[in-house]
Amino acid sequence: DQQVKQNSPSLSVQEGRISILNCDYTNSMFDYFLWYKKYPAEGPTFLISISSIKDKNEDGRFTVFLNKSAKHLSLHIVPSQPGDSAVYFCAAVYYGQNFVFGPGTRLSVLP
Amino acid sequence: DVKVTQSSRYLVKRTGEKVFLECVQDMDHENMFWYRQDPGLGLRLIYFSYDVKMKEKGDIPEGYSVSREKKERFSLILESASTNQTSMYLCASRENTEAFFGQGTRLTVV
């Protein structure tokens, strides 16, 4: 049973528009959440994170929102750029435990 | 600049071969991990290590073993490669809530 779910395997967005990637989790013990970005033939790179004591974290074009009651988080990319085309993994963790990764969402930003 | 380095980007091996995937990190992290990435399945944890000579099974350890003789090096071993082990293998090291990944090894078993 997947503890971290990304129900959209893929997403296509026009350049300049907003990309919204969603992630749901089932374990209420998770207290820290991360987004990783992965290009083909490369390892994942850290993008942005959020602690469970916050509901929003922003870094440039990237914002992560956390809704603890719904066990849902989302990554917003505004404006989307072709270089953002990649697979995005949501990950969750709690103290002393290993990261749990979602299956990933492939984002395509169309010029 | 933190670095996790995997020894090979691409490997092609025959069924039944013993395969070694090497990973080195330069951040003095105690925790190191091996994942495999398959389409639609995300990153699945094979093995991890929280100290030299210590190892723990992850979610999918069958068909794999690991070795951690030095803090900076964590090796993944496929004792007898099979075609269902064709995958992208990712090594990571971790400090607190940050994980750093290597560039990945694309292994094809024929």
Side-chain angles (χ1 to χ4, degrees), chain B:
Chain B
D1 197 21
V2 299
K3 208 155 192 177
V4 179
T5 304
Q6 294 181 229
S7 53
S8 304
R9 294 293 297 270
Y10 300 95
L11 277 178
V12 180
K13 296 291 181 181
R14 294 193 181 277
T15 301
E17 273 194 81
K18 191 169 186 175
V19 182
F20 293 86
L21 303 183
E22 307 285 348
C23 175
V24 177
Q25 52 102 355
D26 64 0
M27 297 164 283
D28 203 36
H29 289 166
E30 293 180 345
N31 299 302
M32 296 187 73
F33 305 80
W34 275 105
Y35 294 89
R36 62 179 280 178
Q37 183 208 351
D38 300 289
L41 298 176
L43 302 174
R44 293 184 292 166
L45 182 62
I46 305 171
Y47 265 96
F48 63 101
S49 168
Y50 51 85
D51 203 352
V52 176
K53 297 194 185 294
M54 305 300 286
K55 58 186 178 183
E56 295 283 345
K57 292 179 180 180
D59 300 318
I60 51 163
E62 297 78 17
Y64 304 93
S65 62
V66 290
S67 172
R68 186 130 182 240
E69 296 296 319
K70 293 185 178 182
K71 192 175 187 180
E72 67 270 18
R73 186 180 296 271
F74 192 33
S75 303
L76 180 69
I77 303 154
L78 286 67
E79 295 290 342
S80 177
S82 63
T83 55
N84 63 12
Q85 292 178 309
T86 291
S87 186
M88 167 71 90
Y89 289 88
L90 294 161
C91 173
S93 72
R94 175 182 165 184
E95 182 174 25
N96 298 321
T97 53
E98 278 203 86
F100 302 88
F101 286 85
Q103 77 276 29
T105 298
R106 169 74 62 187
L107 172 67
T108 302
V109 182
V110 298

Side-chain angles (χ1 to χ4, degrees), chain A residues 53-101:
Chain A
I53 61 173
K54 295 187 174 183
D55 55 17
K56 177 182 174 181
N57 189 26
E58 196 169 352
D59 183 3
R61 296 186 297 116
F62 303 93
T63 303
V64 56
F65 295 92
L66 175 62
N67 182 334
K68 283 181 63 180
S69 60
K71 295 192 179 70
H72 176 84
L73 63 155
S74 60
L75 174 68
H76 293 212
I77 307 173
V78 183
S80 302
Q81 299 173 353
D84 296 329
S85 297
V87 177
Y88 290 79
F89 292 100
C90 171
V93 64
Y94 60 99
Y95 181 78
Q97 300 300 310
N98 291 324
F99 285 25
V100 179
F101 287 88

Side-chain angles (χ1 to χ4, degrees), chain A residues 3-69:
Chain A
Q3 295 187 71
V4 178
K5 303 176 184 180
Q6 294 176 256
N7 292 321
S8 297
S10 63
L11 175 69
S12 291
V13 171
Q14 209 68 36
E15 182 179 3
R17 305 294 289 268
I18 184 171
S19 295
I20 301 176
L21 294 94
N22 293 305
C23 178
D24 297 286
Y25 60 96
T26 58
N27 191 339
S28 56
M29 295 285 291
F30 290 138
D31 59 8
Y32 201 80
F33 304 88
L34 309 93
W35 285 94
Y36 281 82
K37 175 180 177 179
K38 185 182 182 300
Y39 293 118
E42 292 185 16
T45 54
F46 170 75
L47 192 58
I48 193 169
S49 62
I50 188 167
S51 163
S52 61
I53 61 173
K54 295 187 174 183
D55 55 17
K56 177 182 174 181
N57 189 26
E58 196 169 352
D59 183 3
R61 296 186 297 116
F62 303 93
T63 303
V64 56
F65 295 92
L66 175 62
N67 182 334
K68 283 181 63 180
S69 60

